[in-house]
Amino acid sequence: MTISAEPTTQAPPPANDRGYALAVYALYALGFFTVITTVIGLIIAYVKASTGSDLWRSHFQFQIRTFWIGLLYFIVGFALLYFFIGAFIILWWTIWTLVRIIKGAILLHDQRPIATPSSWLFG
């Protein structure tokens, strides 16, 4: 029997960031009532986006893009409220955000990645 002097290195198991991704979706949903929770969710998504497996990384990328694209929709809608079209853009932003949060949470529950996390629509 030979004993190897070399230490065996095993790759650490991939991190399960499901709880973080779920927390971000929840914070985004609360963001309709308190804006600060959305910013906290964005920070968590940025921090965890580089460390997770492909499954979780797709959710974090989706969440980050949800924030920035949603902010763009909201600013444009707010700026155009004077011309009344802004109300429709704000309504679109609300529906769009809710669909992305709900779809992401469902896929997260099923432990499935977002198919196209860089999508401007619903992923």
Side-chain angles (χ1 to χ4, degrees):
M1 176 193 264
T2 333
I3 299 176
S4 174
E6 294 180 31
T8 58
T9 57
Q10 294 179 353
N16 185 348
D17 290 331
R18 183 177 179 189
Y20 288 109
L22 181 61
V24 173
Y25 286 123
L27 290 168
Y28 278 12
L30 285 173
F32 285 106
F33 307 104
T34 60
V35 177
I36 190 67
T37 60
T38 306
V39 175
I40 294 168
L42 177 67
I43 293 167
I44 292 170
Y46 266 115
V47 168
K48 298 304 288 181
S50 62
T51 62
S53 67
D54 289 341
L55 169 65
W56 311 122
R57 199 171 20 249
S58 75
H59 282 276
F60 293 127
Q61 181 185 3
F62 184 70
Q63 293 165 339
I64 290 167
R65 289 186 57 85
T66 297
F67 177 86
W68 290 114
I69 295 169
L71 183 63
L72 177 67
Y73 283 146
F74 186 80
I75 289 171
V76 169
F78 189 77
L80 295 175
L81 274 176
Y82 179 76
F83 300 106
F84 191 66
I85 193 169
F88 293 111
I89 296 172
I90 297 291
L91 178 63
W92 164 252
W93 166 78
T94 303
I95 294 168
W96 177 85
T97 303
L98 285 171
V99 168
R100 284 178 71 103
I101 291 170
I102 293 167
K103 179 181 180 180
I106 289 171
L107 289 173
L108 180 69
H109 179 268
D110 295 342
Q111 294 192 10
R112 293 177 31 214
I114 303 293
T116 52
S118 60
S119 169
W120 276 70
L121 287 177
F122 304 114

